[in-house]
Amino acid sequence: MGVATAKEVGVSPLHPKMERMPREELVGLQVKRLRETVRNVADHVPLHRARLAAAGVTADDIRSLDDLRALPFTVKADLRDTYPFGLFARPREALARVHASSGTTGKPTVVGYTARDLDTWAELMARSLAAAGARRGDVVHNAYGYGLFTGGLGAHYGAERLGATVVPMSGGATERQVALIVDFGARVLCSTPSYALAIAEVAERQGVDLRASALEIGLFGAEPWSDAMRTQIAARLGLRAVDIYGLSEIMGPGVACECECQAGLHGWEDHFLFEVIDPESGQPVPEGEPGELVITTLTKEALPMLRYRTRDITRLTTAPCDCGRTHLRILRVTGRNDDMLIIRGVNVYPSQVEAVLVGLPGIAPYYQLVVERTGALDHVTVEAEAAAEAGAGDYAKIANAVERHLKSLIGLTAMVRVVPPDTIPRSQGKAVRVRDLRPKAH
Ligand code: DLL
């Protein structure tokens, strides 16, 4: 297959100029689009209209990005409370599609798109694929779940927009995935990182060496994953493992993606405004400091979002990137506020435990954290799967070594239970990392 030239694919097939727009110009565009977004929600969404009125802000008050701070936050509960379509700024008849995520409790979160919103999404997903190194003419094997989850269709239309050949696999039937990756010559794999690992494992069992396949790039996201996991997946599949971020409430996959420099994920600032706040006080933190990511949409028609609190913990940088793109970078999302465990006063995210576990001798990269409560105290047991070569007689010794590493590297006092190979359930989408056995608050 002929390799497309740089001119043919550009840096993005769509708006290479946008990705390299000088920051001043970009900020000017954001202010203009923010004003339009505020007007859109004030005109069409009762909840936002009431909150803006209470805050005493109108669209015409938006003159610089500093005015963003006067705008009210939006939270996930706002979507639930107005279920199903109450935050939509367009009548149901104007929606081309809806997606939904099934929360653990109660009603799902429903999101909607006009035809133009879908067009923007395809463009940003294509831009993300291109930033990751995908090109027109590539075979893109898409193992994100199709359906109400935004991963499958989001990656699908982005890859089509890029001019790639899409293999719409969805998750599951892993042996078949392995065969088709090889037979169709996929250069790009899209899946969650945990499912990529499951694909690698099945291939190895079948005696198929995917490192020798045409695979070169993986776009992995939809769940937190550590650099240790990145190294594992890259080595076992023989590809460059690229981090892609997004969430349904804002759009779906393609809100931000790593470029070839892999030094953070470029957040597409012509369509979104990114802030990081202190989750307690709601105040912005200085650039580079960790906090909760807050996103405002700038071009969404059907579901515009004002200062949406993602609950994702990260850091931002506007420092220039070597790739030449001017859009800011989100440093790796370590976890969600909701997933943070407080164990004997120490805050830990499952991905931090993963970073310690994965790659340790005797341990396979499959794990779960079991959280329990005795009295007022939470404690955690880390269940880690033994590597195939570890003998059952070594489990206790390996567990001890892991316990010591967790204590010294992240300050976590946890019991480690090494379990036999194939005990931890394999993921087909987002992996379940925590089994929370604590009594429910209500
Ligand atoms: O997971 C959209 C997506 C699909 C992104 C495919 C990337 C690839 P939701 O189901 O609404 O949407 O879940 C969004 O997943 O708030 C984060 O907590 C988490 N998440 C998504 N990408 C990453 C990532 C899709 N790269 C929620 N790193 C978000 C860490 C991520 N967490």
Side-chain angles (χ1 to χ4, degrees), residues 195-267:
Y195 191 51
L197 195 62
I199 293 176
E201 185 183 38
V202 168
E204 287 156 13
R205 279 203 190 139
Q206 289 177 296
V208 176
D209 186 2
L210 285 179
R211 292 168 305 179
S213 75
L215 279 181
E216 285 181 26
I217 297 164
L219 271 101
F220 303 132
E223 62 186 5
W225 53 309
S226 62
D227 265 324
M229 189 63 95
R230 190 203 297 260
T231 308
Q232 273 276 328
I233 297 171
R236 289 170 67 175
L237 290 174
L239 46 65
R240 189 149 60 90
V242 178
D243 196 4
I244 179 164
Y245 171 83
L247 63 166
S248 350
E249 296 91 314
I250 295 302
M251 181 175 83
V255 171
C257 188
E258 284 180 335
C259 63
E260 64 270 26
C261 302
Q262 300 203 277
L265 296 78
H266 289 283

Side-chain angles (χ1 to χ4, degrees), residues 38 49 91 96 103 150 199 229 248 306 326 347 350 365 369 373-374 397 435:
V38 173
R49 186 184 308 136
T150 51
I199 293 176
M229 189 63 95
S248 350
L306 288 188
T326 50
N347 300 357
L369 311 188
R373 177 166 297 163
T374 29
K397 210 168 68 204
R435 289 208 317 272

Side-chain angles (χ1 to χ4, degrees), residues 76 100-101 125 144 149-152 155 191-193 219-225 243-256 265 308 310-312 332-336 339 430:
K76 199 180 186 92
S101 59
M125 189 60 213
Y144 283 120
F149 173 52
T150 51
S191 75
T192 59
L219 271 101
F220 303 132
E223 62 186 5
W225 53 309
D243 196 4
I244 179 164
Y245 171 83
L247 63 166
S248 350
E249 296 91 314
I250 295 302
M251 181 175 83
V255 171
L265 296 78
Y308 184 71
T310 65
R311 308 188 69 80
D312 290 326
R332 219 183 185 121
V333 170
T334 25
R336 296 176 61 73
D339 295 342
K430 295 181 191 253

Side-chain angles (χ1 to χ4, degrees), residues 8 41 96 100 108 112 170 213 318 379 388 420:
E8 278 174 305
V41 298
S170 201
S213 75
T318 55
H379 50 98

Side-chain angles (χ1 to χ4, degrees), residues 343-344 379-382 399 402-403 406-407 412-416:
I343 307 293
R344 297 175 198 227
H379 50 98
V380 67
T381 306
V382 177
V402 177
E403 279 171 7
L406 288 171
K407 182 76 194 160
L412 175 69
T413 308
M415 197 178 113
V416 174

Side-chain angles (χ1 to χ4, degrees), residues 354-436:
E354 175 181 300
V356 174
L357 280 182
V358 173
L360 282 184
I363 294 283
Y366 309 98
Y367 67 96
Q368 263 183 348
L369 311 188
V370 184
V371 190
E372 287 159 297
R373 177 166 297 163
T374 29
L377 215 58
D378 288 342
H379 50 98
V380 67
T381 306
V382 177
E383 287 187 352
E385 216 176 271
E389 65 273 13
D394 296 330
Y395 288 7
K397 210 168 68 204
I398 298 169
N400 271 331
V402 177
E403 279 171 7
R404 278 200 310 277
H405 276 95
L406 288 171
K407 182 76 194 160
S408 68
L409 293 173
I410 56 173
L412 175 69
T413 308
M415 197 178 113
V416 174
R417 192 182 306 135
V418 173
V419 297
D422 251 340
T423 320
I424 306 283
R426 300 304 190 248
S427 135
Q428 298 194 344
K430 295 181 191 253
V432 179
R433 298 303 192 194
V434 177
R435 289 208 317 272
D436 193 341

